[in-house]
Coordinates of all heavy atoms in Angstrom, one line a residue:
M1 N 190.8 122.5 -118.7 CA 192.1 122.0 -119.3 C 192.3 122.7 -120.6 O 191.5 122.7 -121.5 CB 192.0 120.5 -119.5 CG 193.3 119.9 -119.9 SD 193.4 118.2 -119.6 CE 193.4 117.6 -121.3
M2 N 193.5 123.3 -120.8 CA 193.9 124.0 -122.0 C 194.5 123.0 -123.0 O 195.2 122.1 -122.6 CB 194.9 125.0 -121.7 CG 194.4 126.2 -120.9 SD 193.3 127.2 -121.9 CE 194.4 127.9 -123.1
P3 N 194.1 123.1 -124.2 CA 194.7 122.2 -125.3 C 196.2 122.4 -125.3 O 196.7 123.6 -125.1 CB 194.0 122.7 -126.6 CG 192.9 123.5 -126.2 CD 193.1 124.0 -124.8
E4 N 196.9 121.4 -125.7 CA 198.4 121.5 -125.8 C 198.8 121.9 -127.2 O 199.9 122.3 -127.4 CB 199.0 120.2 -125.4 CG 198.9 119.9 -123.9 CD 199.6 118.6 -123.5 OE1 200.6 118.3 -124.2 OE2 199.1 118.0 -122.6
L5 N 197.9 121.7 -128.2 CA 198.3 121.8 -129.6 C 197.1 122.3 -130.4 O 196.0 121.9 -130.1 CB 198.8 120.5 -130.1 CG 199.1 120.4 -131.6 CD1 200.4 121.1 -131.9 CD2 199.2 118.9 -132.0
F6 N 197.4 123.2 -131.3 CA 196.3 123.6 -132.3 C 196.9 123.4 -133.6 O 198.1 123.7 -133.9 CB 196.0 125.1 -132.1 CG 195.3 125.5 -130.9 CD1 196.0 125.9 -129.8 CD2 193.9 125.4 -130.8 CE1 195.3 126.2 -128.6 CE2 193.2 125.7 -129.7 CZ 193.9 126.2 -128.5
I7 N 196.1 123.0 -134.6 CA 196.5 122.8 -136.0 C 195.7 123.7 -136.8 O 194.4 123.7 -136.7 CB 196.3 121.3 -136.4 CG1 197.2 120.4 -135.6 CG2 196.7 121.2 -137.9 CD1 197.0 118.9 -135.8
F8 N 196.3 124.5 -137.6 CA 195.6 125.5 -138.5 C 195.9 125.2 -140.0 O 197.1 124.9 -140.3 CB 196.1 126.9 -138.2 CG 195.7 127.4 -136.9 CD1 196.6 127.4 -135.8 CD2 194.4 127.9 -136.6 CE1 196.3 127.9 -134.6 CE2 194.1 128.4 -135.4 CZ 195.0 128.4 -134.4
D9 N 194.9 125.3 -140.8 CA 195.1 125.2 -142.2 C 195.5 126.7 -142.6 O 194.8 127.6 -142.4 CB 193.8 124.9 -142.9 CG 193.8 125.0 -144.4 OD1 194.7 125.6 -145.0 OD2 192.9 124.5 -145.0
M10 N 196.6 126.8 -143.2 CA 197.2 128.1 -143.5 C 196.5 128.8 -144.7 O 196.2 130.0 -144.6 CB 198.7 128.1 -143.7 CG 199.4 127.7 -142.5 SD 201.2 127.4 -142.6 CE 201.7 128.2 -144.0
D11 N 196.3 128.1 -145.8 CA 195.8 128.7 -147.0 C 194.3 129.0 -146.9 O 193.4 128.2 -146.9 CB 196.0 127.7 -148.2 CG 195.6 128.3 -149.5 OD1 195.7 129.5 -149.7 OD2 195.3 127.5 -150.4
G12 N 194.0 130.3 -146.7 CA 192.6 130.8 -146.6 C 192.1 130.9 -145.2 O 191.1 131.6 -145.0
L13 N 192.8 130.4 -144.2 CA 192.5 130.5 -142.9 C 193.4 131.5 -142.1 O 193.0 132.5 -141.6 CB 192.5 129.2 -142.1 CG 192.1 129.3 -140.6 CD1 190.6 129.6 -140.5 CD2 192.4 127.9 -140.0
L14 N 194.7 131.3 -142.2 CA 195.7 132.2 -141.6 C 196.1 133.3 -142.6 O 196.2 134.4 -142.2 CB 196.9 131.4 -141.1 CG 196.8 130.4 -140.0 CD1 198.1 129.8 -139.7 CD2 196.1 131.0 -138.8
F15 N 196.2 132.8 -143.8 CA 196.6 133.8 -144.9 C 195.4 134.0 -145.8 O 194.7 133.1 -146.1 CB 197.8 133.2 -145.7 CG 199.0 132.9 -144.9 CD1 199.5 131.6 -144.7 CD2 199.7 134.0 -144.3 CE1 200.6 131.4 -143.9 CE2 200.8 133.7 -143.5 CZ 201.3 132.4 -143.4
D16 N 195.3 135.3 -146.2 CA 194.1 135.6 -147.0 C 194.4 135.4 -148.5 O 194.2 136.3 -149.3 CB 193.7 137.1 -146.8 CG 192.3 137.4 -147.1 OD1 191.6 136.4 -147.5 OD2 191.9 138.5 -146.9
T17 N 194.8 134.2 -148.8 CA 195.1 133.8 -150.2 C 193.9 133.6 -151.1 O 194.0 133.9 -152.3 CB 196.0 132.5 -150.2 OG1 195.3 131.5 -149.4 CG2 197.3 132.8 -149.6
E18 N 192.8 133.2 -150.5 CA 191.6 133.0 -151.3 C 191.1 134.4 -151.9 O 190.8 134.5 -153.1 CB 190.4 132.4 -150.5 CG 190.6 130.9 -150.2 CD 190.5 130.0 -151.5 OE1 190.1 130.5 -152.6 OE2 190.9 128.9 -151.3
R19 N 191.0 135.4 -151.1 CA 190.6 136.7 -151.6 C 191.6 137.2 -152.6 O 191.2 137.8 -153.6 CB 190.4 137.7 -150.4 CG 189.9 139.0 -150.9 CD 189.4 139.9 -149.7 NE 188.4 139.1 -148.9 CZ 187.1 138.9 -149.2 NH1 186.7 139.3 -150.3 NH2 186.3 138.3 -148.4
M20 N 192.9 137.1 -152.3 CA 193.9 137.5 -153.2 C 193.8 136.8 -154.6 O 193.7 137.5 -155.6 CB 195.3 137.3 -152.7 CG 196.4 137.7 -153.6 SD 198.1 137.3 -153.1 CE 198.0 136.1 -151.9
F21 N 193.6 135.5 -154.5 CA 193.5 134.8 -155.8 C 192.2 135.2 -156.5 O 192.2 135.4 -157.7 CB 193.4 133.2 -155.5 CG 193.4 132.4 -156.7 CD1 194.6 132.0 -157.3 CD2 192.3 131.9 -157.3 CE1 194.7 131.3 -158.4 CE2 192.3 131.1 -158.4 CZ 193.5 130.8 -159.0
M22 N 191.1 135.4 -155.8 CA 189.8 135.8 -156.4 C 190.0 137.2 -157.1 O 189.6 137.3 -158.3 CB 188.7 135.9 -155.4 CG 187.4 136.3 -156.0 SD 186.1 136.5 -154.8 CE 186.6 138.0 -153.9
N23 N 190.6 138.1 -156.5 CA 190.8 139.4 -157.0 C 191.7 139.4 -158.3 O 191.5 140.1 -159.3 CB 191.3 140.4 -156.0 CG 190.3 140.7 -154.9 OD1 189.1 140.6 -155.1 ND2 190.7 141.1 -153.7
L24 N 192.8 138.6 -158.2 CA 193.7 138.5 -159.3 C 193.1 137.8 -160.5 O 193.2 138.2 -161.6 CB 195.0 137.9 -158.9 CG 195.9 138.7 -157.9 CD1 197.0 137.8 -157.4 CD2 196.4 139.9 -158.5
R25 N 192.3 136.8 -160.1 CA 191.6 136.0 -161.2 C 190.6 136.9 -161.9 O 190.4 136.7 -163.1 CB 190.9 134.8 -160.5 CG 190.2 133.9 -161.5 CD 189.8 132.6 -160.8 NE 188.8 131.9 -161.6 CZ 187.5 132.1 -161.7 NH1 187.0 133.0 -160.9 NH2 186.8 131.3 -162.4
A26 N 190.0 137.8 -161.2 CA 189.0 138.7 -161.8 C 189.7 139.5 -162.9 O 189.1 139.7 -164.0 CB 188.4 139.7 -160.8
K27 N 191.0 139.9 -162.7 CA 191.7 140.7 -163.7 C 192.0 139.8 -164.9 O 191.9 140.3 -166.1 CB 193.0 141.2 -163.1 CG 192.8 142.3 -162.1 CD 194.1 142.7 -161.5 CE 193.9 143.7 -160.3 NZ 195.1 144.2 -159.7
V28 N 192.4 138.6 -164.7 CA 192.7 137.6 -165.8 C 191.4 137.3 -166.5 O 191.4 137.3 -167.8 CB 193.4 136.4 -165.2 CG1 193.6 135.3 -166.3 CG2 194.7 136.7 -164.5
L29 N 190.3 137.1 -165.8 CA 189.1 136.8 -166.5 C 188.7 138.0 -167.5 O 188.2 137.7 -168.6 CB 187.9 136.6 -165.5 CG 187.9 135.3 -164.8 CD1 186.8 135.3 -163.7 CD2 187.7 134.1 -165.8
E30 N 188.8 139.2 -167.0 CA 188.5 140.3 -167.8 C 189.4 140.3 -169.1 O 188.8 140.6 -170.2 CB 188.8 141.6 -167.0 CG 188.3 142.9 -167.7 CD 188.5 144.1 -166.9 OE1 188.2 144.0 -165.7 OE2 189.0 145.1 -167.4
K31 N 190.6 140.0 -169.0 CA 191.5 139.9 -170.1 C 191.0 139.0 -171.2 O 191.1 139.2 -172.4 CB 192.9 139.5 -169.7 CG 193.9 139.2 -170.8 CD 195.2 138.6 -170.2 CE 196.0 137.9 -171.3 NZ 197.1 137.3 -170.8
Y32 N 190.4 137.9 -170.7 CA 189.8 136.9 -171.6 C 188.3 137.1 -172.0 O 187.7 136.3 -172.7 CB 189.9 135.5 -171.0 CG 191.3 134.9 -171.1 CD1 192.2 135.1 -170.1 CD2 191.7 134.2 -172.2 CE1 193.5 134.6 -170.1 CE2 193.0 133.6 -172.3 CZ 193.9 133.9 -171.3 OH 195.1 133.3 -171.3
G33 N 187.8 138.3 -171.5 CA 186.4 138.6 -171.9 C 185.3 138.1 -171.0 O 184.2 138.1 -171.4
Y34 N 185.7 137.6 -169.9 CA 184.7 137.1 -168.9 C 184.5 138.1 -167.8 O 185.3 138.9 -167.5 CB 185.2 135.7 -168.3 CG 185.3 134.6 -169.3 CD1 186.5 134.4 -170.0 CD2 184.2 133.8 -169.6 CE1 186.6 133.4 -171.0 CE2 184.3 132.8 -170.5 CZ 185.5 132.6 -171.2 OH 185.5 131.6 -172.1
V35 N 183.3 138.0 -167.2 CA 182.9 138.8 -166.1 C 183.0 138.1 -164.8 O 182.5 137.0 -164.7 CB 181.4 139.4 -166.3 CG1 181.0 140.2 -165.1 CG2 181.3 140.2 -167.6
H36 N 183.8 138.6 -163.9 CA 183.9 138.0 -162.6 C 182.7 138.3 -161.7 O 182.3 139.5 -161.6 CB 185.2 138.5 -161.9 CG 185.3 138.2 -160.4 ND1 185.6 136.9 -160.0 CD2 185.0 138.9 -159.4 CE1 185.5 137.0 -158.7 NE2 185.2 138.2 -158.2
K37 N 182.2 137.3 -161.0 CA 181.2 137.5 -160.0 C 181.6 136.7 -158.8 O 181.9 135.5 -158.9 CB 179.8 136.9 -160.5 CG 179.3 137.7 -161.7 CD 177.9 137.1 -162.1 CE 177.4 137.7 -163.4 NZ 176.3 137.0 -163.9
E38 N 181.6 137.4 -157.6 CA 182.0 136.7 -156.4 C 181.2 135.5 -156.1 O 181.7 134.5 -155.7 CB 182.0 137.7 -155.2 CG 182.6 137.1 -154.0 CD 182.7 138.1 -152.9 OE1 182.6 139.4 -153.1 OE2 183.0 137.7 -151.7
E39 N 179.9 135.5 -156.4 CA 179.1 134.3 -156.1 C 179.5 133.1 -156.9 O 179.4 132.0 -156.5 CB 177.6 134.7 -156.2 CG 177.2 135.1 -157.6 CD 177.2 136.6 -157.8 OE1 177.8 137.3 -157.0 OE2 176.5 137.1 -158.8
D40 N 179.9 133.4 -158.2 CA 180.4 132.3 -159.0 C 181.8 131.7 -158.4 O 182.0 130.5 -158.4 CB 180.7 132.7 -160.4 CG 179.4 133.0 -161.2 OD1 178.3 132.4 -160.8 OD2 179.4 133.7 -162.2
Y41 N 182.6 132.6 -158.0 CA 183.9 132.2 -157.4 C 183.7 131.4 -156.2 O 184.3 130.3 -156.0 CB 184.8 133.4 -157.1 CG 186.1 133.0 -156.5 CD1 187.1 132.5 -157.3 CD2 186.4 133.0 -155.2 CE1 188.3 132.0 -156.8 CE2 187.5 132.6 -154.6 CZ 188.5 132.1 -155.4 OH 189.7 131.7 -154.9
L42 N 182.7 131.8 -155.3 CA 182.5 131.0 -154.1 C 182.0 129.6 -154.3 O 182.2 128.7 -153.5 CB 181.5 131.8 -153.2 CG 182.0 133.1 -152.7 CD1 180.9 133.9 -151.9 CD2 183.2 132.9 -151.8
K43 N 181.4 129.4 -155.5 CA 181.0 128.0 -155.9 C 182.2 127.1 -156.1 O 182.1 125.8 -156.0 CB 180.2 128.0 -157.2 CG 178.9 128.7 -157.1 CD 178.2 128.8 -158.4 CE 176.9 129.6 -158.3 NZ 176.3 129.8 -159.7
T44 N 183.4 127.7 -156.3 CA 184.6 126.9 -156.6 C 185.5 126.7 -155.4 O 186.5 126.0 -155.5 CB 185.4 127.5 -157.8 OG1 185.9 128.7 -157.4 CG2 184.5 127.7 -159.0
V45 N 185.3 127.4 -154.3 CA 186.2 127.4 -153.2 C 186.2 126.0 -152.5 O 185.1 125.5 -152.2 CB 185.8 128.5 -152.1 CG1 186.6 128.3 -150.8 CG2 186.0 129.9 -152.7
G46 N 187.3 125.4 -152.3 CA 187.4 124.1 -151.8 C 187.2 123.0 -152.7 O 187.1 121.8 -152.3
V47 N 187.0 123.3 -154.0 CA 186.7 122.3 -155.0 C 188.0 122.1 -155.9 O 188.6 123.1 -156.2 CB 185.5 122.7 -155.9 CG1 185.2 121.6 -156.9 CG2 184.3 122.9 -155.0
S48 N 188.3 120.9 -156.4 CA 189.4 120.7 -157.3 C 189.1 119.6 -158.3 O 188.0 119.0 -158.2 CB 190.6 120.4 -156.5 OG 190.5 119.2 -155.8
G49 N 190.0 119.4 -159.1 CA 189.9 118.3 -160.1 C 188.8 118.4 -161.1 O 188.4 119.5 -161.5
K50 N 188.2 117.3 -161.4 CA 187.1 117.2 -162.4 C 185.9 118.0 -162.0 O 185.3 118.6 -162.8 CB 186.8 115.7 -162.7 CG 187.8 115.0 -163.4 CD 187.4 113.6 -163.7 CE 188.6 112.9 -164.4 NZ 188.2 111.5 -164.8
L51 N 185.5 117.9 -160.7 CA 184.4 118.7 -160.3 C 184.6 120.2 -160.5 O 183.6 120.9 -160.9 CB 184.1 118.4 -158.8 CG 182.9 119.1 -158.2 CD1 181.6 118.9 -159.0 CD2 182.7 118.8 -156.8
L52 N 185.8 120.7 -160.2 CA 186.1 122.1 -160.5 C 185.9 122.4 -161.9 O 185.2 123.4 -162.3 CB 187.5 122.4 -160.0 CG 187.9 123.9 -160.3 CD1 187.1 124.9 -159.6 CD2 189.4 124.0 -160.0
H53 N 186.4 121.6 -162.8 CA 186.2 121.8 -164.3 C 184.7 121.8 -164.7 O 184.3 122.6 -165.5 CB 187.0 120.8 -165.1 CG 188.5 121.0 -165.0 ND1 189.3 120.6 -165.9 CD2 189.2 121.6 -164.0 CE1 190.6 120.9 -165.6 NE2 190.5 121.5 -164.4
V54 N 183.9 120.9 -164.1 CA 182.5 120.9 -164.4 C 181.8 122.2 -164.0 O 181.1 122.8 -164.7 CB 181.8 119.7 -163.7 CG1 180.3 119.8 -163.7 CG2 182.3 118.4 -164.3
I55 N 182.2 122.7 -162.8 CA 181.6 123.9 -162.3 C 182.0 125.1 -163.1 O 181.1 125.9 -163.5 CB 182.0 124.1 -160.8 CG1 181.3 123.1 -159.9 CG2 181.5 125.5 -160.3 CD1 181.8 123.1 -158.5
L56 N 183.2 125.2 -163.5 CA 183.7 126.3 -164.3 C 183.1 126.3 -165.7 O 182.7 127.3 -166.2 CB 185.2 126.2 -164.5 CG 186.0 126.5 -163.2 CD1 187.5 126.2 -163.4 CD2 185.8 128.0 -162.7
E57 N 182.8 125.1 -166.3 CA 182.2 125.0 -167.5 C 180.7 125.4 -167.4 O 180.1 126.0 -168.3 CB 182.3 123.6 -168.2 CG 183.7 123.4 -168.7 CD 183.9 122.1 -169.5 OE1 182.9 121.5 -169.8 OE2 185.0 121.8 -169.8
E58 N 180.1 125.1 -166.3 CA 178.7 125.5 -166.0 C 178.6 127.0 -166.0 O 177.6 127.6 -166.5 CB 178.1 124.9 -164.8 CG 177.8 123.4 -164.9 CD 177.4 122.8 -163.5 OE1 177.4 123.5 -162.5 OE2 177.1 121.6 -163.5
I59 N 179.6 127.6 -165.4 CA 179.5 129.1 -165.2 C 179.9 129.8 -166.5 O 179.2 130.7 -166.9 CB 180.5 129.5 -164.1 CG1 180.0 129.0 -162.7 CG2 180.6 131.0 -164.0 CD1 181.0 129.1 -161.6
Y60 N 181.0 129.4 -167.1 CA 181.6 130.1 -168.2 C 181.4 129.5 -169.6 O 181.8 130.1 -170.6 CB 183.1 130.4 -168.0 CG 183.3 131.1 -166.7 CD1 183.9 130.5 -165.6 CD2 183.0 132.5 -166.6 CE1 184.2 131.2 -164.4 CE2 183.2 133.2 -165.4 CZ 183.8 132.6 -164.3 OH 184.0 133.3 -163.2
G61 N 181.0 128.3 -169.7 CA 180.8 127.6 -170.9 C 181.9 126.7 -171.2 O 183.0 126.7 -170.6
S62 N 181.7 125.8 -172.2 CA 182.7 124.8 -172.6 C 184.0 125.2 -173.1 O 185.0 124.5 -173.1 CB 182.0 123.7 -173.5 OG 181.7 124.4 -174.7
V63 N 184.1 126.5 -173.6 CA 185.3 126.9 -174.2 C 186.2 127.8 -173.2 O 187.2 128.4 -173.6 CB 185.1 127.8 -175.5 CG1 184.5 126.9 -176.6 CG2 184.2 128.9 -175.3
Y64 N 185.7 127.8 -172.0 CA 186.4 128.6 -171.0 C 187.9 128.1 -170.9 O 188.1 126.9 -170.7 CB 185.7 128.4 -169.6 CG 186.5 129.0 -168.4 CD1 186.6 130.4 -168.3 CD2 187.0 128.2 -167.5 CE1 187.3 130.9 -167.2 CE2 187.7 128.7 -166.4 CZ 187.8 130.1 -166.3 OH 188.5 130.7 -165.2
P65 N 188.9 128.9 -171.0 CA 190.3 128.5 -171.0 C 190.8 128.3 -169.5 O 191.7 129.1 -169.0 CB 191.0 129.7 -171.7 CG 190.2 130.9 -171.4 CD 188.7 130.4 -171.3
K66 N 190.3 127.3 -168.8 CA 190.6 127.1 -167.4 C 192.1 127.0 -167.1 O 192.5 127.6 -166.1 CB 189.8 126.0 -166.9 CG 189.8 124.7 -167.6 CD 188.7 123.7 -167.1 CE 188.4 122.7 -168.1 NZ 187.6 123.1 -169.2
E67 N 192.8 126.2 -167.9 CA 194.3 126.1 -167.6 C 195.0 127.4 -167.7 O 195.8 127.8 -166.9 CB 194.9 125.1 -168.6 CG 194.5 123.6 -168.2 CD 193.2 123.2 -168.8 OE1 192.7 123.9 -169.7 OE2 192.7 122.1 -168.4
E68 N 194.7 128.2 -168.8 CA 195.3 129.5 -169.0 C 195.0 130.5 -167.9 O 195.9 131.1 -167.4 CB 195.0 130.1 -170.4 CG 195.5 129.3 -171.5 CD 194.6 128.1 -172.0 OE1 193.6 127.8 -171.3 OE2 194.8 127.6 -173.1
V69 N 193.7 130.5 -167.5 CA 193.3 131.5 -166.5 C 194.0 131.1 -165.2 O 194.5 132.0 -164.5 CB 191.8 131.5 -166.4 CG1 191.3 132.3 -165.1 CG2 191.1 132.1 -167.6
T70 N 194.0 129.8 -164.8 CA 194.6 129.4 -163.6 C 196.1 129.7 -163.6 O 196.6 130.2 -162.6 CB 194.3 127.9 -163.3 OG1 192.9 127.7 -163.2 CG2 195.0 127.4 -162.0
R71 N 196.7 129.3 -164.7 CA 198.2 129.5 -164.7 C 198.6 131.0 -164.6 O 199.5 131.4 -163.8 CB 198.7 129.0 -166.1 CG 200.3 129.1 -166.2 CD 200.8 128.4 -167.4 NE 200.2 129.0 -168.7 CZ 199.4 128.3 -169.5 NH1 199.0 127.1 -169.2 NH2 198.9 128.9 -170.5
E72 N 197.9 131.9 -165.3 CA 198.1 133.3 -165.3 C 197.8 133.9 -163.9 O 198.6 134.7 -163.4 CB 197.4 134.0 -166.4 CG 197.9 133.7 -167.7 CD 197.2 134.5 -168.8 OE1 196.8 135.7 -168.6 OE2 197.0 133.9 -169.9
T73 N 196.7 133.4 -163.3 CA 196.4 133.9 -162.0 C 197.4 133.5 -160.9 O 197.8 134.3 -160.1 CB 195.0 133.4 -161.6 OG1 194.0 133.8 -162.5 CG2 194.5 134.0 -160.2
R74 N 197.8 132.2 -161.0 CA 198.9 131.8 -160.0 C 200.2 132.5 -160.2 O 200.9 132.8 -159.2 CB 199.1 130.3 -160.2 CG 197.9 129.5 -159.7 CD 198.2 128.0 -159.5 NE 197.1 127.2 -159.2 CZ 196.4 127.2 -158.1 NH1 196.8 127.9 -157.1 NH2 195.4 126.4 -157.9
A75 N 200.5 132.8 -161.5 CA 201.8 133.6 -161.7 C 201.6 135.0 -161.1 O 202.6 135.5 -160.5 CB 202.0 133.7 -163.2
L76 N 200.5 135.6 -161.2 CA 200.3 137.0 -160.6 C 200.3 136.9 -159.1 O 200.9 137.7 -158.4 CB 198.9 137.5 -161.1 CG 198.8 138.0 -162.5 CD1 197.4 138.4 -162.8 CD2 199.7 139.2 -162.7
Q77 N 199.7 135.8 -158.6 CA 199.7 135.6 -157.1 C 201.2 135.4 -156.6 O 201.5 136.0 -155.6 CB 198.9 134.4 -156.8 CG 198.7 134.2 -155.3 CD 197.8 133.0 -155.0 OE1 197.8 132.0 -155.7 NE2 197.0 133.1 -153.9
M78 N 201.9 134.6 -157.2 CA 203.3 134.4 -156.8 C 204.1 135.7 -156.9 O 204.9 136.0 -156.0 CB 204.0 133.3 -157.6 CG 203.4 131.9 -157.4 SD 203.5 131.4 -155.7 CE 205.2 131.3 -155.3
D79 N 203.9 136.4 -158.0 CA 204.6 137.7 -158.1 C 204.2 138.7 -157.0 O 205.1 139.3 -156.4 CB 204.3 138.3 -159.5 CG 205.0 139.6 -159.7 OD1 206.3 139.6 -159.7 OD2 204.4 140.6 -159.9
Y80 N 202.9 138.7 -156.7 CA 202.5 139.6 -155.6 C 203.1 139.2 -154.3 O 203.6 140.1 -153.6 CB 200.9 139.6 -155.5 CG 200.4 140.4 -154.4 CD1 200.1 141.7 -154.6 CD2 200.3 139.9 -153.1 CE1 199.7 142.5 -153.5 CE2 199.9 140.7 -152.0 CZ 199.5 142.0 -152.3 OH 199.1 142.8 -151.2
M81 N 203.1 137.9 -154.0 CA 203.6 137.5 -152.7 C 205.1 137.7 -152.6 O 205.6 138.0 -151.5 CB 203.2 136.0 -152.5 CG 201.7 135.9 -152.2 SD 201.2 134.2 -151.7 CE 201.7 133.2 -153.1
E82 N 205.8 137.5 -153.7 CA 207.3 137.7 -153.7 C 207.6 139.2 -153.4 O 208.5 139.5 -152.7 CB 207.9 137.3 -155.0 CG 208.0 135.8 -155.1 CD 208.5 135.4 -156.5 OE1 208.9 136.2 -157.3 OE2 208.5 134.1 -156.7
K83 N 206.8 140.1 -153.9 CA 207.0 141.5 -153.7 C 206.5 142.1 -152.4 O 207.0 143.0 -151.8 CB 206.4 142.3 -154.9 CG 207.1 142.1 -156.2 CD 206.4 142.8 -157.3 CE 207.2 142.5 -158.6 NZ 206.4 143.0 -159.8
N84 N 205.3 141.5 -152.0 CA 204.6 142.1 -150.8 C 204.4 141.2 -149.6 O 203.9 141.6 -148.6 CB 203.2 142.6 -151.3 CG 203.2 143.5 -152.5 OD1 203.7 144.6 -152.4 ND2 202.8 143.0 -153.6
G85 N 204.8 140.0 -149.8 CA 204.6 139.0 -148.7 C 203.1 138.4 -148.8 O 202.4 138.8 -149.7
V86 N 202.8 137.5 -148.0 CA 201.5 136.9 -148.0 C 200.6 137.6 -147.0 O 200.9 137.9 -145.9 CB 201.6 135.4 -147.6 CG1 200.3 134.7 -147.6 CG2 202.6 134.6 -148.4
P87 N 199.4 138.0 -147.6 CA 198.5 138.8 -146.7 C 198.0 137.9 -145.5 O 197.5 136.8 -145.8 CB 197.4 139.2 -147.6 CG 197.4 138.3 -148.8 CD 198.8 137.8 -148.9
V88 N 198.1 138.4 -144.3 CA 197.7 137.7 -143.1 C 196.3 138.2 -142.7 O 196.0 139.4 -142.7 CB 198.7 137.9 -142.0 CG1 198.2 137.2 -140.7 CG2 200.0 137.3 -142.4
K89 N 195.4 137.3 -142.4 CA 194.1 137.7 -142.0 C 194.1 138.5 -140.7 O 195.0 138.2 -139.8 CB 193.1 136.5 -141.8 CG 192.8 135.9 -143.2 CD 191.5 135.1 -143.1 CE 191.1 134.8 -144.5 NZ 189.8 134.0 -144.5
P90 N 193.2 139.4 -140.5 CA 193.1 140.2 -139.3 C 193.0 139.3 -138.0 O 192.3 138.4 -138.0 CB 191.9 141.1 -139.4 CG 191.6 141.1 -140.9 CD 192.1 139.8 -141.4
G91 N 193.8 139.7 -137.0 CA 193.7 139.0 -135.7 C 194.6 137.8 -135.6 O 194.7 137.3 -134.5
I92 N 195.1 137.3 -136.7 CA 195.9 136.1 -136.6 C 197.2 136.3 -135.8 O 197.5 135.4 -135.0 CB 196.2 135.6 -138.1 CG1 194.9 135.2 -138.8 CG2 197.2 134.5 -138.1 CD1 194.1 134.0 -138.0
P93 N 198.0 137.4 -136.0 CA 199.2 137.5 -135.2 C 198.9 137.4 -133.7 O 199.6 136.7 -132.9 CB 199.7 138.8 -135.6 CG 199.3 139.0 -137.0 CD 197.9 138.4 -137.0
A94 N 197.8 138.1 -133.2 CA 197.4 138.1 -131.8 C 197.0 136.7 -131.4 O 197.3 136.2 -130.3 CB 196.3 139.1 -131.5
L95 N 196.3 136.0 -132.3 CA 195.8 134.6 -131.9 C 197.0 133.7 -131.8 O 197.1 132.9 -130.8 CB 194.9 134.1 -133.0 CG 194.5 132.6 -132.9 CD1 193.6 132.4 -131.7 CD2 193.8 132.2 -134.2
L96 N 198.0 133.8 -132.7 CA 199.1 132.9 -132.6 C 200.0 133.2 -131.4 O 200.6 132.3 -130.8 CB 199.9 133.0 -133.9 CG 199.2 132.4 -135.2 CD1 200.1 132.6 -136.4 CD2 198.9 130.9 -135.0
E97 N 200.1 134.5 -131.1 CA 200.9 134.9 -129.9 C 200.2 134.3 -128.6 O 200.9 133.9 -127.7 CB 201.0 136.4 -129.8 CG 202.0 136.8 -128.7 CD 202.3 138.3 -128.8 OE1 202.5 138.8 -129.9 OE2 202.3 138.9 -127.7
W98 N 198.9 134.3 -128.6 CA 198.2 133.8 -127.5 C 198.5 132.3 -127.3 O 198.8 131.8 -126.3 CB 196.7 134.0 -127.7 CG 195.9 133.4 -126.6 CD1 195.7 133.8 -125.3 CD2 195.2 132.1 -126.7 NE1 194.8 133.0 -124.6 CE2 194.5 131.9 -125.5 CE3 195.0 131.2 -127.7 CZ2 193.7 130.8 -125.2 CZ3 194.2 130.1 -127.5 CH2 193.6 129.9 -126.2

């Protein structure tokens, strides 16, 4: 029996927004004098709120400008998507057509 309905989480599953955000955040971090490490970023994927702030402070220290870095990264992300569209993960168009 074939399913009648599929539900997909778009952010990070259908659209490659996590990788885009990570790469743009690396540029913002560099501006503020921080070094981007993918393994550090992966510790924050799927985390929000107070726990996210705790993890960021563990990685970058208590003076890490989390609001500024996030705001600037999101602005770069929106600018990128307005100019280039949202990057779609490989195979997704064929999957959705199926």
Side-chain angles (χ1 to χ4, degrees):
M1 184 162 113
M2 290 291 292
E4 293 181 29
L5 174 72
F6 290 94
I7 299 175
F8 293 99
D9 174 346
M10 293 176 18
D11 187 28
L13 180 69
L14 298 180
F15 300 115
D16 204 0
T17 50
E18 287 290 350
R19 182 164 310 282
M20 177 184 19
F21 189 84
M22 180 183 70
N23 292 335
L24 293 170
R25 185 172 165 271
K27 294 177 184 180
V28 176
L29 284 174
E30 186 176 319
K31 172 185 163 187
Y32 283 91
Y34 293 91
V35 175
H36 165 77
K37 295 180 185 172
E38 187 171 347
E39 60 267 19
D40 288 337
Y41 180 77
L42 293 175
K43 293 175 187 175
T44 68
V45 173
V47 180
S48 62
K50 290 180 182 182
L51 179 56
L52 176 61
H53 289 205
V54 167
I55 294 170
L56 291 172
E57 286 187 10
E58 286 175 358
I59 295 169
Y60 300 111
S62 61
V63 296
Y64 173 69
K66 49 192 159 289
E67 285 84 13
E68 292 87 348
V69 170
T70 299
R71 183 177 55 250
E72 289 181 37
T73 304
R74 290 195 188 284
L76 288 172
Q77 186 177 35
M78 291 305 296
D79 184 59
Y80 178 90
M81 290 188 300
E82 286 174 5
K83 292 177 181 170
N84 305 293
V86 181
V88 177
K89 289 206 170 180
I92 294 301
L95 173 65
L96 292 177
E97 189 172 316
W98 174 79

